[in-house]
Amino acid sequence: MKPGALLVSSALCALVACGGDAPLSDGSFLTYEVGDSRVRVTFEDAGGGDFRTVGQVTDGGRTEPADGMPGHGEIVDSRLRLRSGAPLEVASFGPIWVPPAELRAGGRVHGSPVTEVRSEGGREVAVVSASLGMGAALRGEWRYDATTGFSVGGSMGTAASGADAGLRFRLVDTNVPGLVVP
């Protein structure tokens, strides 16, 4: 499942001043818990201000390369955009980073509303809600650290199950400066 409505074209992003760079350096990583598994994405210097993403999945005590996982092996710029201009998505989590300037109550991120900004686990978190598909069949909530712009978790589900009954993920480890993991 891909939250396609959360994607924005590079042309639109240029028009609405998406601005800012992600606070990354060679070796920066983010690790998310998804059920009993963990998904880790590491950013390696690819030269010219770009990064190559390296994904790993740990499941049942085994860690393996995330070959085939969305977001693995991509080249991204300092704003975590693919060469096509689309934002980097990792696994089924949706966009992994949003410029912090967009994370304000009443704002819009990739066409979906920021429904609130709240304190959560020692950090300010912007909550983005979206409904996708015919009759809003898919629903979700994505939470972003308001200071760094990185995804800190979310949930996606169907209209029948509710967003909280489907896929849930949360940030559990990182070395990104300023990003707090409770």
Side-chain angles (χ1 to χ4, degrees):
M1 168 173 58
K2 276 192 142 184
L6 291 178
L7 297 179
V8 65
S9 73
S10 59
L12 177 60
C13 196
L15 288 174
V16 297
C18 293
D21 290 339
L24 292 177
S25 60
D26 185 35
S28 293
F29 70 87
L30 303 157
T31 303
Y32 294 90
E33 184 176 78
V34 186
D36 294 333
S37 300
R38 291 193 177 210
V39 173
R40 178 178 173 141
V41 61
T42 302
F43 298 90
E44 296 178 347
D45 187 349
D50 291 341
F51 295 92
R52 177 179 311 283
T53 61
V54 178
Q56 291 180 313
V57 176
T58 301
D59 191 17
R62 289 188 337 244
T63 300
E64 299 181 9
D67 297 331
M69 178 185 80
H72 171 71
E74 301 284 358
I75 299 292
V76 295
D77 65 15
S78 61
R79 293 179 53 222
L80 295 184
R81 289 178 305 180
L82 303 171
R83 290 193 170 145
S84 68
L88 173 67
E89 295 191 32
V90 172
S92 297
F93 306 158
I96 197 98
W97 183 79
V98 172
E102 295 181 27
L103 298 173
R104 63 190 185 294
R108 297 190 75 74
V109 171
H110 303 307
S112 297
V114 175
T115 54
E116 68 177 309
V117 177
R118 65 181 181 228
S119 181
E120 182 179 290
R123 63 183 167 218
E124 291 296 304
V125 173
V127 179
V128 177
S129 298
S131 297
L132 316 167
M134 183 72 81
L138 300 175
R139 299 175 183 185
E141 176 181 284
W142 292 263
R143 296 182 341 271
Y144 292 91
D145 178 83
T147 302
T148 65
F150 282 99
S151 173
V152 294
S155 60
M156 293 174 271
T158 65
S161 71
D164 287 339
L167 174 73
R168 297 178 65 87
F169 63 97
R170 68 185 182 98
L171 182 70
V172 294
D173 192 18
T174 187
N175 65 352
V176 171
L179 184 53
V180 176
V181 178

